[in-house]
Amino acid sequence: MDDTPWLTNHTGGSNFILLGFFSLSKDPIFLCVVIFVIFLMALSGNSILIFLIHSNVHLHTPMYFFISQLSLMDMMYISVTVPKMLMDQITGVKKISAPECGTQMFFYLTLGGSEFFLLAAMACDRYMAICHPLRYPMLMSHRICLLLAAGCWFLGSVDGFMLTPITMTFPFCRSREIHHFFCEVPAIMKLSCSDTSLIETLMYLCCVLMILIPVTVISSSYSLILITIHRMKSAEGRKKAFATCSSHMTVVILFYGTASYTYMIPISYHTPEKDMVVSFFYTILTPVLNPLIYSFRNKDVTGALRKRLNVGPFFQEATK
């Protein structure tokens, strides 16, 4: 068995082959067009949201600052996988080199991990805003928001720096065909001819920490928020608070649910078809749904968009 590290052993004809899920479709061309449209919608929706938040002074609040960070992560997240997948389908060349595979793995792990913690930070922000409104400006100052966002990016990169080198250092003496549309850790580990139980345990522990801690923070925050909402005398205040929280919880359930299946269920229980469908949800659908779920149903954002469209060219004010 060849135990040569991937840096010296994965060259030339040793490229991986991404089988993707186009081969599972009866109409791969139609599926390719659908994914391309979703990709454009995700980029345009998140770009517009970021622009509106940064150009409208009324949206310069902690909540929208975190939403702009979420949109940035979503734009990068979907760009890590979809362009490569579409180009492979168009050109018919499905190969990916080991360095490219490792780079893709690092970025999706970093962005996914960062989003885990960002959703927890957003829950804390809602807790402060609803449960401690008088102290909210002090508790969630701009400096604290920047520190929280930077912490989310840092913790996400720790996940990428830890799991990527370990996974890509395994010897791959089996088929080079990856039954997935990108280099996801469980799919890569199935190709290894060595014992992967250690990294499976490490990955499980890592994901328990990266999912359990944010979920605990989110659950605690929303439990206290629901108690506060129940005590509110204003029906309008209850309605507004509940609408904001329900949007956040929709995103949390969609993102954490699919990620938990991928990384917390033993690999032996996975099938390529299920893995690709689940990954499709949190790598492709979530980035396009977040702007719709989170903000375009929000009166402040839709109001800012209408104002921007009514004053003439979209970027008129930005170019002054």
Side-chain angles (χ1 to χ4, degrees), residues 129-165:
I130 295 171
C131 300
H132 302 282
L134 297 179
R135 293 194 297 160
Y136 179 64
M138 180 183 67
L139 294 172
M140 296 299 295
S141 64
H142 185 63
R143 180 174 177 272
I144 292 175
C145 290
L146 288 175
L147 288 174
L148 284 173
C152 293
W153 283 98
F154 172 74
L155 291 171
S157 66
V158 170
D159 188 35
F161 278 117
M162 184 170 61
L163 289 182
T164 302

Side-chain angles (χ1 to χ4, degrees), residues 155-209:
L155 291 171
S157 66
V158 170
D159 188 35
F161 278 117
M162 184 170 61
L163 289 182
T164 302
I166 296 174
T167 304
M168 297 304 296
T169 306
F170 273 102
F172 304 111
C173 55
R174 296 176 183 171
S175 169
R176 297 279 172 162
E177 294 182 346
I178 303 173
H179 291 271
H180 217 299
F181 58 89
F182 69 102
C183 292
E184 193 168 41
V185 174
I188 296 292
M189 286 169 58
K190 288 182 179 179
L191 305 182
S192 177
C193 51
S194 62
D195 183 15
T196 60
S197 58
L198 180 61
I199 189 176
E200 286 186 48
T201 303
L202 176 64
M203 184 173 69
Y204 178 79
L205 292 174
C206 177
C207 291
V208 164
L209 292 174

Side-chain angles (χ1 to χ4, degrees), residues 29 47-48 162 172 183 202 216 229 270 289:
I29 297 177
S47 297
I48 292 171
M162 184 170 61
F172 304 111
C183 292
L202 176 64
T216 302
I229 291 175
H270 288 227
L289 290 176

Side-chain angles (χ1 to χ4, degrees), residues 100-117:
E100 291 173 337
C101 188
T103 302
Q104 187 182 61
M105 183 183 297
F106 168 77
F107 278 109
Y108 95 78
L109 285 172
T110 296
L111 293 165
S114 299
E115 192 158 333
F116 285 149
F117 290 104

Side-chain angles (χ1 to χ4, degrees), residues 35-50 70-72 74-79 82 283-292 296:
I35 292 176
F36 179 65
V37 171
I38 292 174
F39 176 66
L40 292 181
M41 288 174 62
L43 291 185
S44 58
N46 286 290
S47 297
I48 292 171
L49 189 52
I50 291 172
L70 181 67
S71 292
L72 178 61
D74 283 340
M75 288 175 62
M76 296 174 66
Y77 203 37
I78 196 170
S79 298
V82 171
T283 60
I284 298 177
L285 279 187
T286 300
V288 76
L289 290 176
N290 278 350
L292 301 175
F296 285 127

Side-chain angles (χ1 to χ4, degrees), residues 86-98:
L86 294 177
M87 286 302 299
D88 287 352
Q89 177 63 22
I90 293 170
T91 62
V93 179
K94 300 182 179 181
K95 293 181 180 180
I96 184 170
S97 67

